């Protein structure tokens, strides 16, 4: 399947943002902590969420989707995650902590995900060991066994997934646990808020030092998945690349500080509490030097969007990717096929902006695919973006939504 994109058309209009993939996956993983009904609203209907639901259903959870509301209930009947599903997404790792907390054992084939780097799980596993859990990592399967006991653990890196797993692992652990150097991404904070709503005793939510006093049991709740800040940035980047004029609604500007700071110095950006008005009149003179880093700094998930914007600018940009070791080279090569001037040295891309022309390019990961779509929207002429299954993992009908703003994207088998 590929997108056929006729570029050079300014995007205009209003577009709502749906729930965040990386929030939904963490909340779905946490559902294992209780048999009660957990009702997740604004849950995006994307491939990764669908696969996470299948994983939970195969392991015994009852899951019902009605529109954008997903209701989960019941016990796990198996503590072994099915390999056929677990290897389809990175999010499958997010059942580790809750399964160990609730069932004191779990077996997980090592998760799949994007080709953006090795993505080891050492921080997850060392953290569980610090809680007294036995961990066996055979290289393609991780097995954990034991009752988590309260402990203090410092994450060597503020890993999003490891923070989420360790939070869940501590929730039912007798005593007070302290997690130091936690990730503070909005999706992590949403998980902390939901766990508190479920009866967990958490202090320091949203900070890098979180204390969890274990409780005997936690109950169900209803929770709204936060808006997807990466999807919002994707729409804004598409408008920037096509000199468009759009309003993004149902979003959370306060979760997008680093991105919006960069954009507001080059485009007309007006933020309201849950919406952003954006217009671009000319190509900016480059974006300076931008380094990706954990929240609240520039997100790695927006790096491929910025690489495209830099390629369409009229100046120089240097982008340093500090989180994933293989998240620059593929898109740089594909954009260069479209006339970009990008050179990559280790984790540093140097971009001299200019005009892009249509070409046949292929996506290799979720956010990289979105970056190539934006490049095709900006390019003169027609492009084909293949391997679009990667995009469907995290975007609801990206082509349809961009076409609502005036893009000309069709799908070809
Ligand atoms: C989450 O992945 C997101 N995925 C990623 O989004 C996002 O890019 C990433 O956080 C960083 O923000 C989900 O939430 C499902 P990390 P995660 O653990 O948790 C290294 C997307 O496009 N690391 O914060 O896997 C790791 O290799 C996806 O939506 C270890 O070394 O990210 C990486 O270099 C892509 N050992 C860095 O830390 C570990 O045990 C950040 O990884 C864990 C991580």
């Amino acid at each position: 399947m590929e997108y056929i994109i006729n570029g050079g058309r300014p995007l205009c209009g209003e577009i709502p943002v749906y729930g965040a993939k990386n929030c939904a996956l963490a909340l779905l993983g946490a559902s294992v902590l209780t048999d009660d009904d957990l009702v997740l609203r604004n849950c995006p209907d994307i491939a990764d969420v669908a696969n996470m639901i299948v994983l939970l259903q195969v392991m015994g959870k009852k899951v019902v989707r009605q529109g954008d509301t997903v209701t989960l209930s019941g016990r796990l009947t198996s503590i072994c995650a099915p390999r056929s599903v677990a290897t389809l997404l990175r999010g499958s790792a997010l059942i580790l902590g809750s399964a160990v907390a609730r069932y004191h054992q779990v077996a997980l084939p090592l998760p799949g995900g994007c080709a953006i780097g090795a993505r080891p799980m050492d921080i997850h596993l060392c953290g569980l060991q610090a809680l007294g859990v036995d961990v066996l990592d055979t290289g393609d399967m991780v097995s954990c066994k034991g009752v988590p006991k309260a402990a203090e653990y410092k994450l060597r890196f503020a890993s999003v997934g490891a923070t989420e797993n360790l939070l869940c692992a501590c929730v039912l652990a007798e005593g007070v646990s302290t997690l130091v150097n936690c990730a503070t991404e909005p999706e992590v904070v949403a998980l902390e808020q939901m766990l508190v709503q479920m009866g967990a005793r958490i202090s320091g939510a949203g900070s890098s030092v979180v204390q969890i006093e274990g409780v005997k049991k936690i109950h169900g709740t209803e929770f709204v998945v936060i808006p997807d800040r990466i999807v919002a940035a994707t729409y804004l980047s598409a408008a920037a690349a096509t000199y468009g004029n759009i309003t993004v609604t149902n979003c959370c500007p306060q979760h997008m500080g680093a991105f919006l700071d960069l954009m507001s110095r080059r485009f007309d950006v007006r933020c309201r509490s849950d919406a952003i008005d954006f217009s671009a009149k000319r190509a900016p003179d480059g974006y300076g030097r931008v380094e990706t880093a954990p929240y609240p700094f520039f997100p790695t998930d927006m790096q491929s969007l910025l690489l495209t914007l830099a390629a369409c600018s009229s100046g120089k940009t240097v982008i340093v990717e500090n989180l994933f070791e293989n998240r620059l080279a593929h898109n740089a090569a594909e954009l260069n096929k479209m006339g970009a001037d990008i050179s990559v040295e280790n984790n540093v891309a140097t971009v001299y902006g200019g005009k892009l022309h249509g070409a046949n390019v292929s996506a290799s990961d979720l956010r990289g695919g979105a970056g190539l779509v934006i490049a095709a929207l900006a390019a003169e002429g027609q492009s084909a973006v293949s391997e679009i299954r990667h995009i469907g993992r995290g975007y609801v009908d990206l082509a349809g939504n961009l076409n609502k703003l005036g893009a000309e994207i069709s799908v070809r088998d």
Side-chain angles (χ1 to χ4, degrees):
M1 293 269 273
E2 59 185 7
Y3 286 148
I4 303 302
I5 301 174
N6 293 320
R9 304 163 62 87
L11 298 193
C12 298
E14 184 170 303
I15 187 95
V17 171
Y18 38 83
K21 165 177 89 78
N22 294 346
C23 177
L25 292 174
L27 305 187
L28 287 166
S31 71
V32 171
L33 285 166
T34 181
D35 304 350
D36 296 355
D37 284 7
L38 177 64
V39 182
L40 301 180
R41 302 200 184 289
N42 197 33
C43 200
D45 193 1
I46 53 178
D48 269 15
V49 167
N51 284 326
M52 188 73 169
I53 287 172
V54 168
L55 182 103
L56 291 165
Q57 284 172 324
V58 169
M59 296 178 78
K61 289 296 274 190
K62 185 168 172 294
V63 189
V64 176
R65 177 184 273 278
Q66 285 155 318
D68 71 0
T69 298
V70 170
T71 303
L72 304 104
S73 59
R75 288 180 62 79
L76 291 192
T77 51
S78 160
I79 51 94
C80 295
R83 179 177 298 277
S84 58
V85 185
T87 50
L88 294 177
L89 70 155
R90 174 79 183 180
S92 55
L94 298 175
I95 63 160
L96 270 186
S98 52
V100 162
R102 184 89 171 66
Y103 299 94
H104 308 151
Q105 56 180 335
V106 65
L108 174 79
L110 279 182
C114 295
I116 58 177
R119 308 188 79 176
M121 291 194 60
D122 60 298
I123 304 172
H124 300 245
L125 303 181
C126 291
L128 289 172
Q129 286 172 321
L131 295 171
V133 175
D134 292 332
V135 171
L136 174 65
D137 178 356
T138 62
D140 80 334
M141 165 81 80
V142 163
S143 303
C144 302
K145 202 172 174 60
V147 182
K149 291 177 197 57
E152 172 153 343
Y153 178 68
K154 182 175 181 352
L155 286 78
R156 71 172 173 78
F157 178 85
S159 156
V160 168
T163 302
E164 290 163 345
N165 262 329
L166 295 174
L167 278 167
C168 289
C170 292
V171 157
L172 304 176
E174 199 177 331
V176 178
S177 300
T178 304
L179 299 176
V180 181
N181 196 27
C182 290
T184 59
E185 273 69 1
E187 295 76 22
V188 175
V189 179
L191 173 63
E192 289 162 344
Q193 288 166 344
M194 186 183 83
L195 290 172
V196 167
Q197 260 184 227
M198 295 169 81
R201 292 206 192 115
I202 296 176
S203 56
S207 76
S208 62
V209 179
V210 179
Q211 285 207 317
I212 306 104
E213 182 187 351
V215 292
K216 286 252 179 293
K217 196 168 179 289
I218 63 172
H219 50 75
T221 192
E222 284 200 18
F223 196 82
V224 181
V225 175
I226 63 171
D228 196 316
R229 57 198 169 106
I230 316 296
V231 170
T234 303
Y235 293 148
L236 294 172
S237 299
T242 58
Y243 311 119
N245 182 343
I246 68 168
T247 294
V248 176
T249 59
N250 289 3
C251 64
C252 231
Q254 61 269 37
H255 290 164
M256 305 169 65
F259 176 80
L260 292 173
D261 285 351
L262 205 62
M263 303 296 268
S264 56
R265 279 181 264 142
R266 294 169 175 82
F267 303 102
D268 184 16
V269 181
R270 291 197 181 82
C271 294
R272 289 175 271 151
S273 60
D274 64 352
I276 300 168
D277 300 311
F278 178 94
S279 72
K281 298 214 174 18
R282 74 195 72 74
D285 177 22
Y287 291 83
R289 180 185 175 92
V290 180
E291 299 218 19
T292 65
Y295 195 84
F297 301 106
F298 194 87
T300 176
D301 288 351
M302 296 182 191
Q303 177 259 93
S304 57
L305 308 177
L306 181 62
L307 191 68
T308 289
L309 291 180
C312 306
S313 74
S314 58
K316 180 180 175 183
T317 304
V318 173
I319 298 175
V320 184
E321 171 55 62
N322 290 315
L323 272 84
F324 291 104
E325 63 274 26
N326 188 24
R327 203 170 197 178
L328 274 171
H330 177 84
N331 264 39
E334 297 303 284
L335 291 171
N336 285 341
K337 289 179 190 168
M338 302 176 80
D341 177 356
I342 307 173
S343 55
V344 176
E345 182 92 22
N346 297 322
N347 66 330
V348 182
T350 303
V351 189
Y352 292 95
K355 289 270 177 241
L356 300 181
H357 57 72
N360 294 342
V361 292
S362 72
S364 70
D365 72 81
L366 163 59
R367 310 300 176 188
L372 294 176
V373 168
I374 293 169
L377 292 173
E380 280 307 307
Q382 188 173 86
S383 299
V385 179
S386 60
E387 305 299 327
I388 57 173
R389 69 183 188 287
H390 293 292
I391 299 173
R393 286 186 47 212
Y395 288 90
V396 174
D397 191 13
L398 182 61
N401 279 311
L402 291 171
N403 285 342
K404 284 177 192 160
L405 294 172
E408 208 174 282
I409 306 175
S410 56
V411 180
R412 183 168 69 187
D413 276 342

